């Protein structure tokens, strides 16, 4: 167990107020702050670049925005909350009647105190978001309003953070999170902070890692697509992935299954929950969601899972100002980080071996493989070391992974991995996993 609560708390508070979008300075500032945790490379993909069926959009800059009433009082002010402006809004400075303004106002009658989070990325438009209470308080048919959005678009770039960690095998796992949401704590930011901390933990134990890791921080959808287009061959070889988001709320744990239901990641996530005595929700793969939509598409077919604690779509504050730092706590996020680290340990240990003596049994005593402790049952399992060695030799045909064998004989993969290392040292089995 790692205890990163103080660090998580510090970075949640620093990163929460930043105005992020699909492009722009807020994203770079976020990545630069994350560089304090882990040595990310910041990669810039130029505006206008064609990425499959999409094009990288212009950079968006926002300095200020407000609506004033006829007395000149600000009734909506971007300086108070960056959610007040529809993300990627075009500039505007006009006086207008309420009848014209109202089609640009967004609010939530069912959550009267909450400011909604809205975007308009691919339809050049502008808009303001405000609480329904403020809408009722400050707006009426008779009045004229002055509307101001000091925004600009420029040819620039889309910024992405990347860290590659090389393990013993070149076979890679992907960890991906999205950096495009402004002040949303659970949706996006919880995943960003968790990914950075997990990346640092992996980096610290890189000497012992069996797999390699590709860890990316991208704006959702367009960033994931841009990354795939610019790293097509490498992404096609990815073994499996994690998409980290909405993992810091007070609610129940859950996980979104990978697109192939029988994939080992689904079984591993359930093992992690069960080993910790955690009740969880299971969300079958769905075509809606986050960047697994891109990674699992036909060209890549990466099986990706997400561990959630208050999953997107499911909680009241989803895409509104209730998704703040009273909803997400360092305590909750630290628990999710630890579950992810346990999952990653299982993923990392999931390698494949070939028994070098496939014809009849190995003579264990000749290789000093007959356990000195006799038939003692190993703690945490139902089998003895002798049984484990015999079963491993029996199943290790160069195709069965350690996870498959661990499921067949009911022994946690971490324990099996330690035993198999002994078989490997004695030159009875050999690793075949090597991308
Ligand atoms: Zn979202």
């Amino acid at each position: 167990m790692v205890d990163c609560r103080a660090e998580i708390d510090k970075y949640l508070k620093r990163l929460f107020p930043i105005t992020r979008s699909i492009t722009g300075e807020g994203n770079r500032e976020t990545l630069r702050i994350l560089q304090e945790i882990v040595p990310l490379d910041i990669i810039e993909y130029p505006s206008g670049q064609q990425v499959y069926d999409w094009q990288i959009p212009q950079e968006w800059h926002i300095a200020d925005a407000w609506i004033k009433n006829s007395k000149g009082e600000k009734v909506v002010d971007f300086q108070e909350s960056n959610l007040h402006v529809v993300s990627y809004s075009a500039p505007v400075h006009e006086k207008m009647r309420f009848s014209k303004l109202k089609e640009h106002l967004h609010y939530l009658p069912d959550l009267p105190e909450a400011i909604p989070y809205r975007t308009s990325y691919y339809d050049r438009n502008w808009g303001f978001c405000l609480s329904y209470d403020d809408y009722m308080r400050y707006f009426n048919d008779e009045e004229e309003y002055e509307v101001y959005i000091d925004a600009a678009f420029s040819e620039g770039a889309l910024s992405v953070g990347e860290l590659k960690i090389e393990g013993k095998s070149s076979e890679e796992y992907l960890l991906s999170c999205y950096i495009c949401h402004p002040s949303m704590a659970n949706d996006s930011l919880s995943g960003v902070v968790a990914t950075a901390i997990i990346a640092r933990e992996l980096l610290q134990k890189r000497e012992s890692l069996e797999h390699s890791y590709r860890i990316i921080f991208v704006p959702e959808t367009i960033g994931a697509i841009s990354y795939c287009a610019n790293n097509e061959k490498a992404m096609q070889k990815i073994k499996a992935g994690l998409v980290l988001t909405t993992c810091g709320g007070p609610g129940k744990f859950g996980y979104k299954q990978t697109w192939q239901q029988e994939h080992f990641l689904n079984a591993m996530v359930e093992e992690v929950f069960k080993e910790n005595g955690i009740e969880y929700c299971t969300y079958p793969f769905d075509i809606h969601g986050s960047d697994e939509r891109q990674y699992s598409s036909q060209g890549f077919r990466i099986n990706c899972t997400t561990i959630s604690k208050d999953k997107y779509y499911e909680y009241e504050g989803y895409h509104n100002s209730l998704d703040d730092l009273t909803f997400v706590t360092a305590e909750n996020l630290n628990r999710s980080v630890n579950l992810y680290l346990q999952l990653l340990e299982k993923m990392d240990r999931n390698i494949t071996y070939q028994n070098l003596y496939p014809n009849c049994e190995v003579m264990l005593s000749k290789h000093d493989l007959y356990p000195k402790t006799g038939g003692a049952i190993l703690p945490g399992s139902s089998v003895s070391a002798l049984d484990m060695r015999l079963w491993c030799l029996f199943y290790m045909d160069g195709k069965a992974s350690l996870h498959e064998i661990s499921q067949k004989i009911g022994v946690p993969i971490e324990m099996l991995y330690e035993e198999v290392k002994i078989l490997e040292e004695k030159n009875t089995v050999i690793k075949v996993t090597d991308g």
Side-chain angles (χ1 to χ4, degrees), residues 164-406:
K164 291 193 239 171
I165 303 176
E166 273 181 40
K168 290 175 200 157
S169 159
S170 61
E171 201 168 46
E172 276 185 349
Y173 284 121
L174 174 73
L175 276 70
S176 174
C177 63
Y178 50 94
I179 53 164
C180 51
H181 287 42
S183 300
M184 292 277 105
N186 199 36
D187 185 10
S188 176
L189 188 57
S190 66
V192 170
V193 173
T195 303
I197 301 234
I198 289 164
R200 199 252 325 273
E201 295 296 314
L202 288 174
L203 202 54
Q204 279 172 357
K205 54 181 178 187
R206 76 190 310 168
E207 301 292 309
S208 66
L209 293 175
E210 293 288 351
H211 287 84
S212 294
Y213 292 83
R214 183 176 292 261
I215 301 165
I216 59 174
F217 299 73
V218 294
E220 201 173 22
T221 309
I222 186 65
I225 293 168
S226 302
Y227 190 86
C228 286
N230 282 281
N231 297 276
E232 188 176 277
K233 286 219 155 51
M235 291 295 280
Q236 284 169 340
K237 287 196 267 176
I238 296 276
K239 181 168 176 172
L242 305 175
V243 173
L244 295 93
T245 182
T246 52
C247 52
K252 204 170 170 181
F253 278 108
Y255 83 105
K256 179 175 175 178
Q257 294 187 318
T258 71
W259 75 275
Q260 287 175 305
Q261 208 171 17
E262 66 282 7
H263 191 266
F264 68 81
L265 266 188
N266 298 316
M268 280 185 186
V269 176
E270 295 197 10
E271 285 166 23
V272 168
F273 284 136
K274 284 171 190 158
E275 285 166 16
N276 288 278
I278 291 171
E279 276 188 47
Y280 57 92
C281 311
T282 301
Y283 303 100
F285 181 78
D286 182 72
I287 207 62
H288 300 284
S290 187
D291 288 326
E292 67 280 3
R293 302 187 334 258
Q294 316 310 330
Y295 307 140
S296 304
S297 67
Q298 286 185 30
F300 301 97
R301 285 297 194 233
I302 304 168
N303 276 280
C304 295
T305 189
T306 296
I307 292 179
S308 56
K309 196 161 178 346
D310 284 300
K311 184 180 167 287
Y312 50 82
Y313 309 148
E314 302 276 318
Y315 58 101
E316 194 179 52
Y318 174 67
H319 277 192
N320 68 64
S321 58
L322 301 182
D323 187 353
D324 63 12
L325 293 180
T326 59
F327 186 73
V328 167
T329 61
E331 179 81 35
N332 291 332
L333 193 48
N334 190 62
R335 288 183 71 194
S336 294
V337 164
N338 276 287
L339 295 180
Y340 268 121
L341 288 172
Q342 282 183 45
L343 174 63
L344 280 159
E345 181 165 5
K346 290 179 191 291
M347 290 163 66
D348 192 62
R349 279 26 183 155
N350 195 21
I351 46 185
T352 303
Y353 286 89
Q354 169 74 56
N355 177 354
L356 294 170
Y357 298 85
N359 300 322
C360 302
E361 283 185 331
V362 172
M363 189 181 176
L364 294 180
S365 55
K366 189 173 115 187
H367 302 274
D368 195 24
L369 280 169
Y370 207 88
K372 314 230 168 358
T373 45
I377 301 297
L378 291 165
S381 82
S382 54
V383 297
S384 65
L386 173 62
D387 285 351
M388 215 185 303
R389 287 173 197 177
L390 290 171
W391 279 121
C392 282
L393 291 164
F394 182 78
Y395 282 124
M396 285 178 168
D397 57 359
K399 294 187 197 75
S401 69
L402 274 196
H403 185 250
E404 283 166 39
I405 299 172
S406 90

Side-chain angles (χ1 to χ4, degrees), residues 45-104:
Y45 298 130
S47 308
Q49 190 193 356
Q50 196 68 30
V51 285
Y52 302 127
D53 202 30
W54 300 62
Q55 197 174 37
I56 296 186
Q58 288 184 309
E59 233 178 276
W60 181 62
H61 312 274
I62 174 98
D64 200 10
W66 41 255
I67 302 173
K68 286 181 181 171
N69 64 15
S70 53
K71 291 187 210 127
E73 296 160 342
K74 283 184 189 172
V75 292
V76 180
D77 187 357
F78 172 75
Q79 303 302 335
E80 283 174 11
S81 167
N82 57 30
L83 300 180
H84 277 315
V85 172
V86 170
S87 185
Y88 219 68
S89 275
V92 60
H93 192 187
E94 252 180 70
K95 286 192 173 170
M96 61 183 75
R97 311 289 309 178
F98 178 68
S99 56
K100 185 180 173 197
L101 174 59
K102 73 177 177 190
E103 66 192 68
H104 296 280

